[in-house]
């Protein structure tokens, strides 16, 4: 039989939107990432809501909005209840990222899609994995095995391999082949100098992105020097610097770079303060210190260089609000009467809302200030609009004023000097909360008082219903249908699962209790027998009912809240407690005065400097093309990139001169692709007698052997059994089968280590010691290609043939 393999893009195909895909292996549906940006809009969410209840497993790759932004929403609202998997670092930092997003949105608009409790519940359900740890999916899909590999780009970032029999799917998005300040490079490039890891080579299907397909980046050293130089120039001129970043992923790399650079100049330490402006900044730093094992070896070596915590960011001051930032700036008097300035890392990276937008509105009009973008930002965001303006201005300079966006579109001037957009404006949508005043405040006070009274009465009524629950086994025989309905309402209310319709009766009784005018309840009873049925009647009675203890199969149910010891929230050890709901660094304080959300459009005058230096930590287009040729997938799906980038990468792979598969797919959102290999896979059992006679040879990470026998079906068994052949054919001669890497380039390296001179001739044959030629030959009857060793019998011929045979496993 053959495995059915289908791929569907929910979001992030032929566009740079957040990523979310469905991979179907036979009848198993696997959700690859679950991303959404902070606007929570678009057709992708509607598609996700439709398929979420059918998903069997979720794989999360990176702890940022593009990969986990919609996971809490799908878990709490869309019925996504299946198992989810991520690395421990992705689980922890992704949780903090989403908590910061919820806090930011709730503080500025009427955001009710999900809350902090939903985020906690969603990420507590994630199964944390280590790198290279194989994990079989539960239940009937146990034949599918997933394995996490390092992707770079973010702490805990993951490349997934999904294996099912002969099918191996490699899901590699947003990987980085270069080592960074706090992260190692991707596991893809752990095969040696310029070589791909053999465990990740030749997948049945490779799913990768074209996000940087059009861009060729300078070296990391040059980009870091340009970034720090841009920050240093603004500091020298006494300006403020805004660097928009995400909440818990790439912010670690940017903060690490600035922290190492900051102490080398005493002047900037006197005139400026380096800040991370985030409600969860302290917790992000604490978690990063606990995840040093997921970082590069350079971070671990710092522990032995000095007596300090790893990744302590000692020169980065963490503040929680703009008011605290202002206090920090005004804290000390500066020399010569100069006021202190700031270099601020502020979320969110899109700048469409949050603290980064507020700082931009405050600083954009001053010529001394600067905005430095370390990444392009989500589509349609404020950061992307600023990047587009920077791009247009630098391209105008580059092309002599023609602003031809098609000129040299395969590269970007990453190290261009800062630009100043003087005498220009930009429209910014500002969402904020304002305090209620006048009549609105009076109406709110009346409604709040009424709500609290109803809530107190309802809670008292629900408590009474809970206390008066009878044992189901005793009362079920004597209950009427109406009584059972009332019991279900009471039970549902006891666990907080009551719909608006079910609460109607409770609200009616609550109103009667609040009025103080009625103390009688109508209690249903049994009427006289008429025919074959009992009649229900109601009697006006004093509301007394015998109290019964609530019990389950283990005995009496206790209210645990009465016996729990309240922990000290200032205890630093609670910072890493995964079972404790995460709170923001300010203790989750809320405004005591009621507010309302308002939206306004502002025209902002742009006088500040604007720079873009790529510190996104992704492989550029040149590197992606080279890696694809080394991975050698059998089929390729290209997603998560602009239409132009996706087309450019696909056209490169389709070039006949490029040694990459020609089965290339560039799906649109909602398009279903059949990416099955069509290879038939048959499963059978080997008897112990036959297995003992098989000679096994090691090939990479597997053991391979040649088997000859007869297939038999046991009665009522669906899986056949392979047993010895009693006719004597088992010991008959069979041609030698060579299993291994047939590439001549790899064979050339093996021959060179044996002291044999091997060179390629004009026809592609490998000529050894000028006496033996090794070339590829077509297999018989359309079979796989073979290697032919050609030459006259001699000592060199037999020696070279022996080396060639030793390079393969002979069966």
């Amino acid at each position: 039989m053959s495995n059915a393999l289908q791929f569907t893009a929910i979001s992030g195909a032929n566009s740079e939107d957040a990523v979310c895909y469905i991979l179907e292996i036979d009848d198993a549906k696997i959700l690859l990432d679950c991303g959404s940006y902070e606007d929570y809009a678009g057709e992708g969410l509607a598609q996700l809501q439709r398929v979420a209840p059918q998903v069997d497993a979720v794989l999360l790759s990176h702890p940022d909005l593009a990969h986990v932004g919609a996971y809490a929403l799908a878990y709490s609202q869309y019925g996504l209840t299946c198992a989810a998997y991520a690395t421990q670092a992705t689980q922890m930092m992704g949780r903090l990222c989403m908590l910061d997003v919820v806090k930011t949105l709730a503080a500025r608009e009427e955001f009710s899609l999900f809350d902090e409790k939903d985020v906690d519940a969603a990420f507590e359900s994630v199964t944390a994995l280590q790198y290279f740890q194989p994990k079989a999916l539960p239940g009937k899909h146990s034949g599918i095995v997933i394995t996490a590999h390092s992707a770079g780009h973010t702490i805990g970032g993951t490349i997934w391999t999904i294996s099912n029999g002969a099918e191996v799917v490699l899901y590699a998005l947003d990987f980085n082949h270069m080592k960074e300040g706090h992260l190692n490079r991707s596991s893809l490039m752990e095969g040696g100098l310029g070589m791909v890891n053999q465990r990740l080579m030749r997948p049945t299907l490779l799913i990768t992105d074209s996000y940087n397909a059009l861009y060729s980046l300078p070296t990391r050293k040059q980009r870091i020097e340009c970034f720090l130089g841009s920050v240093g120039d603004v500091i020298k001129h006494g300006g403020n610097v805004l660097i928009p970043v995400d909440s818990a992923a790439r912010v670690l790399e940017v903060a690490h770079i600035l922290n190492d650079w900051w102490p080398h100049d005493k002047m900037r330490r006197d005139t400026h303060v380096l800040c991370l402006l985030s409600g969860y900044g302290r917790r992000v730093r604490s978690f990063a210190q606990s995840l040093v094992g997921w970082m590069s070896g350079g971070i671990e070596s710092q522990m032995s260089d000095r007596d300090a915590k790893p990744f302590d960011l000692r020169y980065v001051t963490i503040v929680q609000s703009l008011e605290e930032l202002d206090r920090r700036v005004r804290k000390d008097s500066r020399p010569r009467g100069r006021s202190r300035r700031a270099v601020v890392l502020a979320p969110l990276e899109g700048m469409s809302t949050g603290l980064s937008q507020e700082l931009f509105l405050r600083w954009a009009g001053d010529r001394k200030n600067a905005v430095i973008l370390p990444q392009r930002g989500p589509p349609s965001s404020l950061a992307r609009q600023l990047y587009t303006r920077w791009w247009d201005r630098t391209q105008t300079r580059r092309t002599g004023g023609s602003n031809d966006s098609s000129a040299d579109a395969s590269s970007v001037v990453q190290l261009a000097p800062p630009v100043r957009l003087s005498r220009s404006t930009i429209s910014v949508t500002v969402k904020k909360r304002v305090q209620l005043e006048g009549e609105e405040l009076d109406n709110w006070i009346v409604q709040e008082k009424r709500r609290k009274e109803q809530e107190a009465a309802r809670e008292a009524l629900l408590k009474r219903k809970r206390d008066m629950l009878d044992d189901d086994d005793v009362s079920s025989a004597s209950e009427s249908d109406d009584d059972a309905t009332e019991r279900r309402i009471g039970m549902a209310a006891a666990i907080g699962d009551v719909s608006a319709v079910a609460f109607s009766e409770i609200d009616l009784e609550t109103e009667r209790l609040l009025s103080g005018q009625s103390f009688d309840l109508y209690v249903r009873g049994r009427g006289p027998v008429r025919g074959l049925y009992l009649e229900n009647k109601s009697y006006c009675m004093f509301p007394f009912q015998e109290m019964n203890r609530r019990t389950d199969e283990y005995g009496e149910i206790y209210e645990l809240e009465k016996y729990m010891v309240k922990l000290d929230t200032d205890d630093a050890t609670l910072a890493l407690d995964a079972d404790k709901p995460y709170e923001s660094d300010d203790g989750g304080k809320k405004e005591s005065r009621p507010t309302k959300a308002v939206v306004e459009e502002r025209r902002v005058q742009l006088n500040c400097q604007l720079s873009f230096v790529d510190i996104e930590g992704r492989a550029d287009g040149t590197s992606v093309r080279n890696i694809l040729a080394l991975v050698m997938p059998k089929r390729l799906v290209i997603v998560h990139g602009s239409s132009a980038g996706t087309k450019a990468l696909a056209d490169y792979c389709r070039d006949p001169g490029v040694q990459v598969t020609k089965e290339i797919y560039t799906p649109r959102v909602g398009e279903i692709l059949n990416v099955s290999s069509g290879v038939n896979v048959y499963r059978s059992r080997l008897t112990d007698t036959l297995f003992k006679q098989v000679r096994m040879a090691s090939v990479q990470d597997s053991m391979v052997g040649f088997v000859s026998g007869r297939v038999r079906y046991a009665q009522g068994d669906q899986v056949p059994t392979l047993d010895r052949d009693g006719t004597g054919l088992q010991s008959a001669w069979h041609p030698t089968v060579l299993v291994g890497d047939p590439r001549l380039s790899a064979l050339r390296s093996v021959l060179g280590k044996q002291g044999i001179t091997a060179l390629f001739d004009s026809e592609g044959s490998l000529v050894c010691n000028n006496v033996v030629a090794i070339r590829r030959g077509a297999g018989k009857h359309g079979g796989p290609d073979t290697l032919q060793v050609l030459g006259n019998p001699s000592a060199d011929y037999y020696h070279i043939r022996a080396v060639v045979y030793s390079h393969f496993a002979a069966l």
Side-chain angles (χ1 to χ4, degrees):
M1 64 178 181
S2 61
N3 294 323
L5 206 62
Q6 289 186 344
F7 178 85
T8 307
I10 296 177
S11 175
N14 271 279
S15 70
E16 296 179 359
D17 295 334
V19 297
C20 186
Y21 313 103
I22 286 286
L23 178 67
E24 298 183 48
I25 303 178
D26 293 335
D27 59 343
K29 290 182 173 63
I30 302 176
L31 188 67
L32 304 176
D33 284 319
C34 191
S36 176
Y37 293 120
E38 64 267 18
D39 55 358
Y40 287 96
E43 182 63 24
L45 291 182
Q47 294 287 339
L48 177 61
Q49 184 176 9
R50 181 179 59 83
V51 302
Q54 308 168 17
V55 173
D56 298 298
V58 181
L59 306 183
L60 303 176
S61 302
H62 296 278
D64 56 12
L65 278 174
H67 296 81
V68 302
Y71 175 60
L73 174 62
Y75 184 87
S76 61
Q77 302 293 335
Y78 294 169
L80 185 69
T81 58
C82 62
Y85 302 93
T87 59
Q88 181 187 15
T90 297
Q91 179 196 27
M92 296 171 67
M93 303 307 280
R95 188 178 196 173
L96 289 181
C97 173
M98 292 309 304
L99 288 173
D100 198 17
V101 169
V102 170
K103 179 181 178 182
T104 299
L105 297 180
R108 290 161 179 79
E109 56 185 279
E110 299 294 345
F111 183 76
S112 59
L113 292 178
F114 56 93
D115 56 17
E116 291 89 344
K117 293 182 179 179
D118 296 328
V119 173
D120 290 333
F123 281 90
E124 283 174 3
S125 68
V126 174
T127 301
L129 302 178
Q130 301 294 323
Y131 286 144
F132 311 115
Q133 175 189 350
K135 177 69 175 179
L137 297 186
K140 62 180 180 179
H141 306 302
S142 58
I144 300 176
V145 179
I146 60 174
T147 308
H149 305 271
S150 173
H153 179 57
T154 62
I155 185 169
T158 308
I159 291 174
W160 292 99
T161 56
I162 308 164
S163 306
N164 183 34
E167 301 279 3
V168 178
V169 179
L170 180 60
Y171 178 65
L173 261 63
D174 297 333
F175 59 86
N176 189 8
H177 66 296
M178 299 295 293
K179 183 178 179 180
E180 295 190 275
H182 83 294
L183 292 176
N184 288 317
R185 60 184 177 180
S186 168
S187 296
L188 270 176
M189 304 304 296
E190 289 183 353
L193 294 177
M195 298 299 294
V196 172
N197 190 340
Q198 290 187 356
R199 288 177 294 184
L200 302 179
M201 290 178 62
R202 301 180 183 278
T204 306
L205 175 66
L206 170 61
I207 305 169
T208 191
D209 67 281
S210 59
Y211 191 83
N212 272 351
L214 296 177
Y215 306 132
S216 297
L217 303 179
T219 64
R220 181 179 182 275
K221 181 179 179 181
Q222 292 174 327
R223 285 181 280 131
I224 297 303
E225 290 177 352
C226 179
F227 173 72
L228 296 177
S230 300
V231 176
D233 290 343
V234 180
I235 290 176
K236 289 179 182 178
H237 293 87
N240 297 300
V241 181
L242 169 61
I243 306 174
V245 291
D246 55 56
S247 300
R250 291 302 299 174
V251 63
L252 299 180
E253 176 68 13
V254 180
H256 176 70
I257 292 171
L258 290 172
N259 183 75
D260 287 350
W261 172 73
W262 197 258
H264 299 307
D265 189 340
K266 184 177 183 301
M267 180 61 69
R268 62 170 165 257
R269 296 202 307 271
D270 291 337
T271 60
H272 285 70
V273 58
L274 176 60
C275 294
L276 171 58
L277 178 59
S278 173
Y280 285 85
R282 291 190 178 92
R283 205 168 290 270
V284 168
R285 181 176 60 185
S286 298
F287 276 33
Q289 291 173 350
S290 70
L291 296 171
V292 173
W294 297 84
M295 301 183 186
S296 64
I299 298 297
E300 295 180 351
S301 64
Q302 294 179 3
M303 300 174 62
S304 58
D305 294 342
R306 50 187 167 86
D307 186 16
K309 293 182 180 180
F311 207 80
D312 59 349
L313 302 179
R314 62 167 58 185
Y315 298 104
V316 178
T317 303
I318 298 178
V319 295
Q320 304 160 16
S321 63
L322 292 177
E323 292 76 13
E324 186 177 352
L325 175 64
D326 294 337
R327 291 196 300 269
R328 178 67 61 177
V329 170
R330 297 192 302 264
K331 183 177 180 180
D332 301 322
S333 59
R334 297 295 97 201
R336 301 178 183 177
R338 294 180 180 178
S339 60
R340 212 175 190 190
R341 299 300 179 117
V343 176
V344 181
L345 308 175
L348 300 168
E349 71 271 25
M351 300 176 64
S352 295
T353 188
L355 298 172
S356 58
Q357 186 193 71
E358 295 181 27
L359 274 182
F360 174 76
L361 297 175
R362 178 186 293 188
W363 290 349
D366 193 332
R367 294 180 57 86
K368 293 183 178 180
N369 298 334
V371 177
I372 301 179
L373 302 173
Q375 49 198 18
R376 282 169 272 171
S380 304
S381 64
L382 175 59
R384 179 59 67 92
Q385 296 179 44
L386 294 175
Y387 166 78
T388 302
R389 295 198 179 195
W390 173 89
W391 164 266
D392 293 340
R393 182 63 60 87
T394 55
Q395 285 297 101
T396 301
R397 292 177 179 176
R398 186 179 182 185
T399 58
S402 63
N403 193 17
D404 184 6
S405 60
S406 64
D408 196 10
S410 62
S411 63
V412 175
V413 185
Q414 295 291 343
L415 303 182
V419 300
R420 190 180 300 279
L421 305 176
S422 301
R423 297 185 300 276
S424 64
T425 61
I426 188 170
S427 178
V428 179
T429 301
V430 180
K431 299 178 181 180
K432 62 180 181 180
R433 285 188 171 273
V434 297
Q435 294 182 346
L436 297 182
E437 297 179 351
E439 184 179 353
E440 289 183 332
L441 178 60
D442 295 338
N443 293 335
W444 182 89
I445 293 175
V446 173
Q447 294 176 1
E448 185 69 9
K449 181 179 179 181
R450 177 64 174 171
R451 185 189 64 80
K452 290 182 178 180
E453 292 176 351
Q454 290 181 344
E455 185 176 330
R458 179 178 298 182
E459 182 63 28
L461 183 61
L462 293 178
K463 185 177 185 302
R464 187 180 67 183
K465 285 181 175 291
R466 290 195 299 266
D467 294 338
M468 292 191 302
L469 289 175
D470 295 328
D471 184 77
D472 290 338
D473 294 336
V474 176
S475 60
S476 59
S478 60
E479 279 184 335
S480 65
D481 292 340
D482 292 337
D483 294 332
T485 301
E486 287 188 2
R487 174 176 296 281
R488 285 194 295 270
I489 293 176
M491 291 289 290
I495 62 173
D497 182 19
V498 183
S499 65
V501 176
F503 258 129
S504 59
E505 287 194 47
I506 299 177
D507 289 334
L508 179 60
E509 295 186 45
T510 302
E511 293 295 334
R512 295 176 62 188
L513 290 174
L514 286 173
S515 64
Q517 299 176 359
S518 176
F519 299 95
D520 290 336
L521 294 178
Y522 283 91
V523 180
R524 291 184 179 89
R526 296 291 185 181
V529 177
R530 291 188 179 181
L532 298 177
Y533 302 97
L534 293 175
E535 265 194 7
N536 289 328
K537 284 192 175 183
S538 299
Y539 301 93
C540 186
M541 299 181 62
F542 185 79
F544 174 80
Q545 192 166 350
E546 184 179 358
M547 308 294 283
N548 293 284
R549 296 285 187 183
R550 290 185 295 141
T551 61
D552 58 14
E553 60 270 25
Y554 299 104
E556 186 174 345
I557 298 177
Y558 288 91
E559 296 183 11
L560 299 180
E561 293 79 5
K562 295 182 179 180
Y563 303 95
M564 293 178 66
V565 178
K566 185 175 182 181
L567 299 177
D568 185 5
T569 56
D570 295 330
D571 188 356
T573 60
L574 297 180
L576 304 179
D577 187 0
D579 296 329
K580 174 181 176 293
Y582 291 17
E583 297 178 357
S584 60
D585 296 334
D586 59 1
K589 296 179 181 178
K590 297 182 179 180
E591 289 285 343
S592 58
R593 190 169 179 178
T595 60
K596 65 176 180 179
V598 296
V599 180
E600 60 178 289
E601 292 288 335
R602 289 191 190 177
R603 298 296 299 180
V604 180
Q605 184 72 32
L606 293 177
N607 289 322
C608 63
Q609 296 182 23
L610 179 61
S611 301
F612 169 72
V613 183
D614 191 300
I615 317 181
E616 291 184 328
R618 292 183 175 96
D620 64 350
T622 303
S623 302
V624 169
R625 291 191 289 270
N626 294 335
I627 291 173
L628 285 180
L630 295 174
V631 174
M632 295 183 293
K634 297 179 181 179
R635 284 176 302 284
L636 176 63
V637 175
I638 302 175
V639 293
H640 194 215
S642 64
S643 297
T646 302
K647 183 179 183 301
L649 185 58
D651 290 344
Y652 168 81
C653 295
R654 293 190 179 105
D655 188 341
V658 178
Q659 297 296 322
V660 180
T661 178
K662 305 310 174 189
E663 291 190 49
I664 303 167
Y665 304 90
T666 57
R668 299 282 179 178
V669 172
E671 181 180 355
I672 301 176
L673 298 178
N674 183 4
V675 289
S676 302
S677 62
V679 176
N680 292 326
V681 179
Y682 301 94
R683 296 180 175 89
S684 65
R685 299 189 185 95
L686 270 67
T687 60
D688 294 339
T689 306
L690 178 64
F691 186 75
K692 290 178 181 178
Q693 297 181 354
V694 178
R695 291 187 305 170
M696 307 296 290
S698 176
V699 178
Q700 296 183 1
D701 296 334
S702 304
M703 300 297 293
V704 181
F706 188 90
V707 179
S708 176
R710 284 187 175 272
V711 176
R712 297 184 177 89
Y713 282 90
Q715 185 176 3
D717 195 351
Q718 299 272 339
V719 180
T721 301
L722 186 63
D723 200 356
R724 294 182 59 187
D725 187 3
T727 63
L729 294 177
Q730 182 177 0
S731 59
W733 177 89
H734 68 272
T736 302
V737 178
L738 299 180
V739 180
D741 189 356
R743 292 187 304 166
L744 292 180
S745 58
L747 186 57
R748 180 188 177 187
S749 301
V750 174
L751 292 170
K753 294 178 181 179
Q754 298 293 328
I756 300 172
T757 302
L759 300 173
F760 285 102
D761 63 6
S762 59
E763 297 180 356
S765 299
L766 190 62
V767 180
C768 307
N769 288 347
N770 292 324
V771 295
V772 177
I774 304 175
R775 66 177 59 171
R776 288 181 179 274
K780 295 182 179 180
H781 308 294
D785 293 347
T786 61
L787 287 181
Q788 298 175 351
V789 182
L790 307 176
N792 295 325
S794 63
D796 283 345
Y797 174 82
Y798 290 112
H799 177 54
I800 293 171
R801 189 182 68 172
V803 173
V804 173
Y805 282 0
S806 66
H807 181 61
F808 301 92
L811 305 178

